[in-house]
Amino acid sequence: MRPVSANLIAIFDRLLYRMFGLRALTPALRFFREGLMGVSSMSWIKMGACCLLACLPAPIAMASETLQQSFLQPMGPVAEEQFAHLLRVVGISMVVILPVIIGVPLILWRYRYSKPRGEYTPEWEFSKNFEYALWGVPVLVVAVLASWLWYSTEKLDPYKPLGPEPLQVQVIGLDWKWLFIYPQEGIATVDELAVPVGRPVELTLTTDTVMQSLLIAPLTGQIYAMPGMTTKLNFSATRAGEAEGENTQFNGDGFGRQKFTVRALAPADYAAWVARANSGLTLDESTYGALRRQTVLIDARGDLGLDKRAEPIFMSLGQKDIFQKIVMKYHRSGGEATGARWGGTGLPQSTKTGAGE
């Protein structure tokens, strides 16, 4: 009969090499495998420690990749203030949390049944100092947290410009892509937003479908957009790099793929990017009608006669007031509906490959 350790090692190797396709062991996995060889004499505590060490590398790697697309790795002043606010909240909360974490084990040890210490006072029922600490500290913590929250909310007002002459970008949320219009540069892009480092940016948002929510975590916070209405979002980038933007409001089959790339570029690189974008298609009523369909980026490229690749679309503007026309078609003027053109105001046309199937 095979020993327990041999059976465990066989299962361990099968999981690594056949199910997960691993061909080399990390130091933590190698330590865990060697520990299995002596499992008959290994305590359950040591066994648990080995399991913990073996499981650590994957979550750490996943976490580090996720952190790059969050305000914990800020690329601008808005995300930096969000990160600072989180640190303040964590630090102030430790005033309440640390005494509990430290005090409970100490109390259990000091007054343990086998060797108790301290006076036995069964008639004790009230302590003024203890009551002051019990109620005063939480009240003080809540007051400090509330004041910091008020300060951060005022400072991070999305409608407040971060400097003079911000770059104006008009954003239209579609199913399932984002259209970015640069009226000053005369260009438009689909699923790519480029901004110059050091210059304030002001996004003016709306949607031509259901309500959507835009989020660029390393740069700014989240804000909603609705058809026929506009909202604003101000931010800036302090360093060059790339970030991922997304829609956080569920809107159908292609929701999980409605993401876009944000490029923070040096001024010279941004000028080159604008020149490149100006050499693409022309955004007019016909082109916009194709973009309004329920398609992800790769299928939208096919509808426009481009190669079906997961690459952004670059266009020049056929006219300057496209964004205003999209917003105003949901309103009535002079008793007439203005939504007959530019794709109308009904539910966007669905296609069989709308979600990239």
Side-chain angles (χ1 to χ4, degrees), residues 37-252:
M37 296 179 181
V39 71
S40 58
S41 60
M42 182 186 292
S43 68
W44 286 108
I45 296 178
K46 293 182 180 179
M47 183 69 176
C50 290
C51 292
L52 180 61
L53 289 173
C55 294
L56 279 178
I60 291 176
M62 294 175 61
S64 61
E65 183 176 342
T66 303
L67 289 180
Q68 295 178 0
Q69 296 300 328
S70 76
F71 67 91
L72 300 180
Q73 297 287 340
M75 294 177 58
V78 175
E80 288 173 358
E81 176 59 29
Q82 291 175 331
F83 182 45
H85 179 68
L86 174 65
L87 294 181
R88 288 193 295 264
V89 170
V90 172
I92 296 171
S93 300
M94 288 299 104
V95 175
V96 176
I97 297 174
L98 284 180
V100 176
I101 295 177
I102 298 174
V104 169
L106 290 178
I107 292 174
L108 293 176
W109 176 258
R110 180 178 177 84
Y111 300 103
R112 63 192 186 276
Y113 181 78
S114 61
K115 193 177 180 181
R117 281 191 282 176
E119 297 181 7
Y120 178 65
T121 55
E123 303 299 327
W124 179 89
E125 62 180 12
F126 179 77
S127 172
K128 183 181 294 185
N129 294 334
F130 182 74
E131 290 291 332
Y132 284 151
L134 185 64
W135 293 99
V137 173
V139 169
L140 182 61
V141 168
V142 171
V144 174
L145 290 177
S147 63
W148 276 118
L149 178 60
W150 183 286
Y151 167 79
S152 295
T153 302
E154 289 287 332
K155 187 175 182 179
L156 298 177
D157 181 4
Y159 280 76
K160 182 187 298 183
L162 297 183
E165 299 182 0
L167 173 66
Q168 298 292 333
V169 182
Q170 298 164 340
V171 185
I172 302 177
L174 302 169
D175 290 333
W176 293 283
K177 48 204 168 290
W178 293 95
L179 174 62
F180 301 97
I181 300 174
Y182 295 74
Q184 298 168 334
E185 286 79 1
I187 61 173
T189 64
V190 178
D191 280 357
E192 180 164 299
L193 172 66
V195 299
V197 174
R199 182 179 178 183
V201 181
E202 182 176 79
L203 303 183
T204 305
L205 301 98
T206 189
T207 75
D208 199 7
T209 176
V210 297
M211 181 174 69
Q212 298 193 19
S213 172
L214 183 138
L215 172 65
I216 311 173
L219 282 169
T220 186
Q222 168 268 343
I223 195 166
Y224 287 100
M226 297 180 65
M229 304 174 64
T230 61
T231 52
K232 290 186 180 294
L233 185 63
N234 284 269
F235 66 93
S236 66
T238 55
R239 62 180 176 88
E242 291 189 5
E244 182 181 76
E246 60 183 329
N247 171 31
T248 62
Q249 179 74 25
F250 181 75
N251 63 339

Side-chain angles (χ1 to χ4, degrees), residues 346-357:
L347 186 68
Q349 179 184 353
S350 178
T351 62
K352 293 183 179 180
T353 58
E357 296 176 358

